[in-house]
Amino acid sequence: MSTTTERRTPYTVRHKNSNGEKLESCFYASDAYEARLLAMEFNAYIKQHPNCIDSILQTKA
């Protein structure tokens, strides 16, 4: 796991659901890969369909 000294940055994870709707979720993570893992952990649809993620964007705090 990450230490408290690591800097967390906000990331927006964009994905499409089964109806084709575009949705966004925001996570604080150390990098885009960790943001993807968090999205999969907290969203059951993304966990079952990880390729539904369109983009992971670092956002300004």
Side-chain angles (χ1 to χ4, degrees):
M1 221 32 180
S2 304
T3 64
T4 56
T5 58
E6 286 188 50
R7 184 167 180 207
R8 300 283 181 212
T9 306
Y11 285 88
T12 301
V13 179
R14 294 180 178 169
H15 70 281
K16 290 184 182 180
N17 65 10
S18 60
N19 296 329
E21 296 175 282
K22 293 182 182 182
L23 303 170
E24 295 182 349
S25 300
C26 296
F27 299 97
Y28 280 88
S30 57
D31 57 21
Y33 181 74
E34 184 181 18
R36 180 182 186 272
L37 293 177
L38 289 169
M40 291 172 64
E41 181 179 341
F42 289 102
N43 186 307
Y45 184 79
I46 293 175
K47 186 174 185 174
Q48 294 174 355
H49 306 91
N51 292 331
C52 73
I53 295 175
D54 288 336
S55 62
I56 301 173
L57 306 171
Q58 184 176 359
T59 54
K60 300 264 183 187

